[in-house]
Amino acid sequence: MPLFQTIQFDETTKILIWEITESLEELLSKVVLKEKTQKRLDGMKSQMHQRAFLSVRMLIQEMGFTDKDLHYDEFGKPYFDCHNHISITHSYHFAAIIISHEKVGIDMELQREKIQRIADKFTDYECDYLDPSTTEKYIKKLTVIWGAKEAIFKIRNEKGISFKDHINVSNFSLDKTQTQASLHFDDLIKDFNVHYQEIESDNFEGKFTLVYAFEK
């Protein structure tokens, strides 16, 4: 399937989402990989992971880049050799990227009941406004919170950052699409604008939450 959705956030920021319906062979026929990337692909044990990895290359091609333009730093953070920042995510049958002149992070998660069992691993400050008795709403809110913290971690990408102890997501409404978050780590304090929305597909059961964050 071609591009699933494009979100033009502002003049310099664009989000692209790919629904992964192609076979591994189809995707391989549509991308050109540098040797280092091919070795990384060959080392992946999961074909679903390989397809997601290649779908990301399809997305950067949609933006006019190629695999040769995409690099990873020592911590695994992707970057281009230009003024554009990039962040990458994939979840099940979706892959997504965000490209911007600003520092950005993106995450996409399937809304699942199991997130309730690990909520205490990544929430603390947020417990003041979360209500576990409203199960569906609770799951949706936890998924936004996890996605926000994942997106912020992708921006900062520093060893030792704890989702629970160092990243706080402000109270928010599921009827809205934006909230605030902050990172307090060692002597570093950073604030972030966080945006979120639901994504659904006729080809996959369940709802996904897309979250992206900008460093202020």
Side-chain angles (χ1 to χ4, degrees), residues 104-198:
V104 290
I106 192 170
D107 190 54
M108 194 169 185
E109 300 288 341
L110 175 64
Q111 296 171 13
R112 294 183 290 175
E113 289 186 3
K114 67 179 287 186
I115 198 170
Q116 298 173 96
R117 299 199 297 270
I118 61 168
D120 64 335
K121 305 293 185 185
F122 67 92
T123 60
D124 184 16
Y125 166 87
E126 299 79 16
C127 293
D128 287 343
Y129 63 78
L130 286 169
D131 181 3
S133 67
T134 57
T135 305
E136 184 178 357
K137 185 177 179 181
Y138 183 51
I139 292 169
K140 288 177 184 286
K141 281 207 161 191
L142 284 174
T143 309
V144 171
I145 291 165
W146 175 268
K149 295 190 178 195
E150 185 72 46
I152 288 166
F153 181 78
K154 287 179 179 179
I155 294 173
R156 298 307 310 183
N157 208 33
E158 296 178 43
K159 187 177 180 180
I161 291 177
S162 161
F163 282 18
K164 180 174 182 173
D165 299 328
H166 301 136
I167 306 174
N168 298 333
V169 179
S170 299
N171 194 5
F172 60 96
S173 168
L174 292 171
D175 296 327
K176 307 290 185 181
T177 60
Q178 183 177 354
T179 188
Q180 308 295 312
S182 59
L183 170 69
H184 301 256
F185 180 60
D186 290 339
D187 296 328
L188 178 71
I189 300 175
K190 289 287 183 180
D191 294 317
F192 301 85
N193 288 320
V194 176
H195 302 264
Y196 51 92
Q197 66 185 77
E198 279 193 349

Side-chain angles (χ1 to χ4, degrees), residues 6-16 63 99 212:
T6 299
I7 302 166
Q8 185 73 52
F9 181 79
D10 58 27
E11 289 184 3
T12 69
T13 305
K14 185 179 281 190
I15 299 111
L16 285 79
M63 288 293 293
I99 293 179
Y212 45 101

Side-chain angles (χ1 to χ4, degrees), residues 28-154:
L28 278 168
S29 71
K30 296 175 181 177
V31 296
V32 177
L33 303 177
K34 57 192 175 190
E35 184 179 355
K36 186 176 181 180
T37 305
Q38 184 65 55
K39 287 181 179 179
R40 186 176 171 190
L41 179 72
D42 293 342
M44 295 177 184
K45 296 179 180 179
S46 163
Q47 189 175 112
M48 188 66 241
H49 192 188
Q50 289 178 312
R51 290 164 67 205
F53 185 78
L54 291 171
S55 295
V56 168
R57 270 71 197 163
M58 295 294 291
L59 289 170
I60 65 171
Q61 285 182 182
E62 289 281 342
M63 288 293 293
F65 296 94
T66 70
D67 180 58
K68 289 183 179 180
D69 300 314
L70 185 65
H71 311 285
Y72 293 86
D73 68 15
E74 59 182 312
F75 303 108
K77 184 177 180 178
Y79 68 93
F80 291 130
D81 285 326
C82 64
H83 56 273
N84 283 301
H85 296 274
I86 181 172
S87 186
I88 293 168
T89 186
H90 42 78
S91 180
Y92 292 88
H93 295 280
F94 281 111
I97 64 171
I98 185 168
I99 293 179
S100 177
H101 288 184
E102 299 181 60
K103 291 181 179 179
V104 290
I106 192 170
D107 190 54
M108 194 169 185
E109 300 288 341
L110 175 64
Q111 296 171 13
R112 294 183 290 175
E113 289 186 3
K114 67 179 287 186
I115 198 170
Q116 298 173 96
R117 299 199 297 270
I118 61 168
D120 64 335
K121 305 293 185 185
F122 67 92
T123 60
D124 184 16
Y125 166 87
E126 299 79 16
C127 293
D128 287 343
Y129 63 78
L130 286 169
D131 181 3
S133 67
T134 57
T135 305
E136 184 178 357
K137 185 177 179 181
Y138 183 51
I139 292 169
K140 288 177 184 286
K141 281 207 161 191
L142 284 174
T143 309
V144 171
I145 291 165
W146 175 268
K149 295 190 178 195
E150 185 72 46
I152 288 166
F153 181 78
K154 287 179 179 179

